[in-house]
Amino acid sequence: MAGLVQNIDLALPDLPILRYWRNRGLKAFEAQGVPTAKTEAWRYTKPRDLNSDDFILSVTLPIITKSEQTQKIPFACYPIIFENGILYSKISEMPSGLCIMPLIDALFMDIETQEQMGIHLDVENYPFAALNTYYLNQGVYIYVDSNVELERPIVLINHSSVGPENLFFNIHNLIVLKKGAKAEFVEYYNYSGAVKSRYFANIVNEIFIEKDAELNHYKVQNEAFKANHVALNMVSVKEGGNYNGFCLQKGANIGRNETKVLLKEKNASARVDAAYIMNGWATLDTTTDIEHLAEETCSEQLVKGVIGGDARGVFQGKIHIAPKAVKTSGKQLHKALLLSDGAEIDVKPELEIFADDVKCSHGAASGELDEEQLFYMQSRGIDREEARQLLIDAYLDEVISRLQNDEISEWIRSLIKENQSIIG
Amino acid sequence: MSKTLLEIEDLYARVGEKEIIKGFNLTINEGEVHAIMGPNGAGKSTLSYVLAGKPGYEVTSGSIKFKGKNLLAMSTEERAREGVFLCMQYPVEIPGVPSSTFMKHSVNAIRKHQNLPELDTMEFIKILREEGRKLGLDNEMIKRPVNVGFSGGEKKRLETLQMAILKPALSILDEADSGLDIDALKVVAEGVNALRDGKRSFLVITHYQRLLNYIVPDYVHVFADGHIVKSGDKNLALELEEKGYAEFVREK
C-alpha cells in the first residue's frame, strides 16, 4: 500500500515512446501534486481522499465473465470490456474500417499513433492526466477509417468489483476518426455488489476528429458511493467536424468529468452536454473548456443537475474565442434543481473573447421543485414521492432528449431511474 | 333516499392570516349537482382548494366528511384516490412530463387504491385515445407535456379528459368556464354530463350562470363572505344573472 505514485512493473518499459510519456507524466504530477483548495481549476472539488496512502494499483483481472458485462447493454454494439481498469485481452470481431486494440500495442506497432499520442495533452496542466500517463499501460486505441460510418456504437465498459482494498487504476484511450468517419462511443463505468472502498478510476481520452468526421460520445459514470472518478477528455476537431459529447454522472464520492475541446478549423462544432444527479455527501463536477481557434466554429452546452442531501454540484465552463475566430458562436447553460437545504451548487462560467463578430451566451439558474406542480399531480392521486420523481426525470430529460441515438437515450433514462433514491 | 357523499359542517378556513371561509355548511348526496355562485373574491376557489387539501389552506374549525370518512385527515393524494377530483381554474404546466405519462401514473395510483390491477401502456393508451377523441383532443396533444403550450380551451379539455378517465365520485369544477369560448364550454359540459349517472356528484363553482345552461344543477347556492347566504334550485341562478350579487355583497 502506498500513495498515488508507486513503482510498479508496466508493459514494454524500454519502448521509447512509453518511457517518454511515463517520465513526463511523473514529473508533471510531482510538480502539481493532488489539487488543494488553492488550485484554481479544482477550487470547488476537493479530492481529499486521494491524499491517502492506502492505494493498491490494479494489475490483475478478477474473475467475472465478460458476457455478464455486455448483457447490461440493451443494444447491439462493439464492446470493449475492462474489469477494475484491466482490459480483457480479446476484443470481439470488428467491421472493416474499424480497428480497436490495446493502446500500447498500437504505440508499439505504429509510428503514426506515436506521433499523435499526447499532441494536445499538456499534462503539466492536468495533475491526474499526468498521473495517468505515468502509468500508461491500460486503454485502447480506436481507429475509424475515412468515410466509414459505424453501424453500431462502440461501448467501453469498466466494471469495478473491488473488495475492501482501495484499488487505483488508469485507463488511457486514443480515438481517431479519419476524414468523414462517423462513430458513436459509449463509456460506462459501473460496479456491482456492496463496494465500500475508496477506489480511484483515473481516465484520459484523447479524441481526434478529422475533417467532416463526427463522433457522438456518451458517458455514464455510476461508480460506487465512496469511489473517486476523475476523467479528462481532450478533444480536437478539424474542419467541418463535429463532436457531440454527453456525460451522466450519478455515482462516486468525488466525480469529475472534464472536457476540453479544441475547435481547430473552420466550421468545426461541438456540443458538450451533461446531467448529474446525486445526494449523500458527494461532489459531482462537470468542467468544460471550449477553445474556438478558427472562424465560424460553433459550440453549445446544456448541463443540468439534481442535487439532494448534502451533495454538491460543480460546473465550471470556459469558452475561449481566439482573435481570428470570427463569426463563431458559443452557448452555455447550466441549471440545477436543489432538493434540500444542504444541497449546494458552485458555478463558474468564464468567457474569454478576443474576436469581434461573435455570438456568445452563458447562463445559470437554480431552483427547487415547483409546489404548484407537485400539488397538481397529487390532486390526481399520484403520491408525493412519485410526483417528485416524475418532475426530477422531466428536469433531466431536457438534456437526455437532445441525444441523437434513441436506443442510447432510452438506456440512459433507465440508468437514471436505477437505484435512485433522491431524498430532499 | 340517496346516500350522503360530502358533508361540510361549520367550516372555517384561512390562507395565511386571512380568514376566508367562515361558517360554511353544505351536504351533497350521491348523484347531485350543486352549483356555488358568488361574487369574485368571496372565497369560492379557497373552498375548492380546502376540499382538495392544498398546502397553505388551513382549516381552523369545523369538519368535512367524505363517504363518512374524515376528509381533513387525508393527504391530497388520498383524497384524490377516494374520489375527490378538482378540475382547476388554472391548471399548471409541467414541462418534460408527457400528458399521457402523467395520466397513466394518475389512473394507476387510483386503481391501485381500489385494488384493481394497473393498466399496461397499451390498454391505457386505448382508453385515452377513445376518451380523447370524444373531447376533441388528438393523439398528438396527449403526447405533449402536461398543459405546455395549450390554449385555455385545450387545458380545460385536458382537465375534462382526466375527469372522464378517473371517474371520480365528486368532481369540483372551479370556474370551469373562465376563458372558454362557447365550443370549449360545451365540450366541458358534455364531459360532465356524460359522467352523470345518478351516483357521481358535482360541485360547480362559477361566477356566471352561462355554464349552468349546459350543466343543469339540482341546487344553487349563493356564496358570499365565506359562507352560503341563500340556496335554491336552478332558477336561483337565472335570478342572479339578472340582478347580480349586489344584494348579497351589501350584507357585509
Side-chain angles (χ1 to χ4, degrees), chain A residues 370-373 375-386 390-391 393-395 397, chain B residues 54 76-77 80-81 85-86 88 92-97 102 105-106 109-110 147 159 162:
Chain A
D370 185 314
E371 281 299 329
E372 291 290 330
Q373 292 176 347
F375 170 68
Y376 185 70
M377 295 168 103
Q378 287 174 268
S379 82
R380 302 300 138 97
I382 300 171
D383 71 45
R384 194 174 167 87
E385 258 327 295
E386 195 179 340
L390 279 167
L391 292 181
D393 290 345
Y395 191 81
D397 212 60
Chain B
K54 190 172 187 180
T76 297
E77 52 265 44
R81 291 172 198 168
F85 180 90
L86 173 59
M88 300 206 190
V92 293
E93 299 185 0
I94 311 180
V97 179
F102 166 60
H105 279 260
S106 169
I110 287 168
N147 290 319
E159 293 289 285
Q162 293 175 53

Side-chain angles (χ1 to χ4, degrees), chain A residues 17-41:
Chain A
I17 182 81
L18 290 174
R19 210 167 53 215
Y20 168 78
W21 276 108
R22 287 166 182 165
N23 285 337
R24 185 175 157 189
L26 178 62
K27 256 191 220 151
F29 180 72
E30 285 181 336
Q32 298 169 86
V34 172
T36 65
K38 287 181 190 156
T39 316
E40 183 55 31

Side-chain angles (χ1 to χ4, degrees), chain A residues 99-149:
Chain A
C99 166
I100 302 176
M101 65 168 87
L103 177 60
I104 54 169
D105 292 1
L107 289 169
F108 179 69
M109 292 188 300
D110 183 17
I111 290 294
E112 204 182 316
T113 313
Q114 292 194 7
E115 285 169 353
Q116 199 145 24
M117 165 85 204
I119 291 180
H120 303 299
L121 196 63
D122 45 339
V123 290
E124 288 69 23
N125 294 316
Y126 298 93
F128 294 114
L131 194 61
N132 178 291
T133 55
Y134 167 56
Y135 290 112
L136 192 59
N137 203 26
Q138 285 292 335
V140 290
Y141 171 70
I142 298 172
Y143 176 93
V144 186
D145 214 346
S146 300
N147 299 315
V148 168
E149 190 170 332

Side-chain angles (χ1 to χ4, degrees), chain A residues 39-280:
Chain A
T39 316
E40 183 55 31
W42 288 79
R43 211 169 128 190
Y44 303 109
T45 302
K46 296 170 185 73
R48 288 189 198 93
D49 284 355
L50 299 181
N51 289 309
S52 58
D53 58 359
D54 56 359
F55 284 104
I56 293 177
L57 263 297
S58 177
V59 284
T60 51
L61 265 179
I63 31 156
I64 193 158
T65 67
K66 188 175 167 181
S67 62
E68 269 177 57
Q69 292 307 313
T70 45
Q71 275 163 15
K72 290 180 182 163
I73 304 298
F75 47 86
C77 64
Y78 308 117
I80 306 167
I81 312 294
F82 287 79
E83 182 75 24
N84 295 343
I86 311 292
L87 177 70
Y88 276 87
S89 54
K90 207 160 167 259
I91 287 168
S92 318
E93 78 290 357
M94 283 167 282
S96 71
L98 171 65
C99 166
I100 302 176
M101 65 168 87
L103 177 60
I104 54 169
D105 292 1
L107 289 169
F108 179 69
M109 292 188 300
D110 183 17
I111 290 294
E112 204 182 316
T113 313
Q114 292 194 7
E115 285 169 353
Q116 199 145 24
M117 165 85 204
I119 291 180
H120 303 299
L121 196 63
D122 45 339
V123 290
E124 288 69 23
N125 294 316
Y126 298 93
F128 294 114
L131 194 61
N132 178 291
T133 55
Y134 167 56
Y135 290 112
L136 192 59
N137 203 26
Q138 285 292 335
V140 290
Y141 171 70
I142 298 172
Y143 176 93
V144 186
D145 214 346
S146 300
N147 299 315
V148 168
E149 190 170 332
L150 293 182
E151 272 176 37
R152 303 176 194 171
I154 299 160
V155 177
L156 184 157
I157 300 176
N158 180 70
H159 175 261
S160 294
S161 60
V162 284
E165 63 280 5
N166 298 326
L167 279 190
F168 171 30
F169 56 84
N170 296 273
I171 298 176
H172 193 121
N173 304 308
L174 202 149
I175 298 152
V176 179
L177 268 67
K178 299 300 278 187
K179 188 179 159 190
K182 280 191 175 168
E184 295 191 297
F185 177 51
V186 178
E187 289 176 89
Y188 181 33
Y189 299 90
N190 70 0
Y191 68 99
S192 62
V195 178
K196 287 181 183 158
S197 81
R198 289 177 281 108
Y199 70 89
F200 176 26
N202 186 20
I203 316 297
V204 172
N205 289 315
E206 294 185 59
I207 297 173
F208 298 88
I209 297 172
E210 300 200 352
K211 187 170 186 285
D212 298 324
E214 182 175 288
L215 180 70
N216 291 338
H217 181 194
Y218 310 86
K219 170 176 173 172
V220 175
Q221 184 272 95
N222 186 27
E223 305 281 14
F225 79 111
K226 284 186 182 171
N228 298 277
H229 178 103
V230 176
L232 175 67
N233 303 287
M234 184 60 76
V235 184
S236 67
V237 189
K238 289 191 176 171
E239 188 182 337
N242 180 230
Y243 172 73
N244 263 319
F246 167 79
C247 175
L248 168 71
Q249 296 202 76
K250 64 167 286 195
N253 180 42
I254 298 289
R256 166 146 158 153
N257 191 59
E258 180 165 4
T259 304
K260 180 164 183 173
V261 182
L262 307 167
L263 298 170
K264 293 177 72 175
E265 293 175 2
K266 193 176 169 182
N267 285 323
S269 62
R271 177 184 278 184
V272 186
D273 285 356
Y276 57 89
I277 177 162
M278 183 49 82
N279 58 7

Side-chain angles (χ1 to χ4, degrees), chain B residues 18 20 38-46 175 207 223-226 252:
Chain B
K18 200 175 174 208
I20 293 177
N40 289 324
K44 301 193 299 294
S45 289
T46 300
E175 305 281 3
H207 183 72
F223 184 76
D225 195 26
K252 262 177 160 175

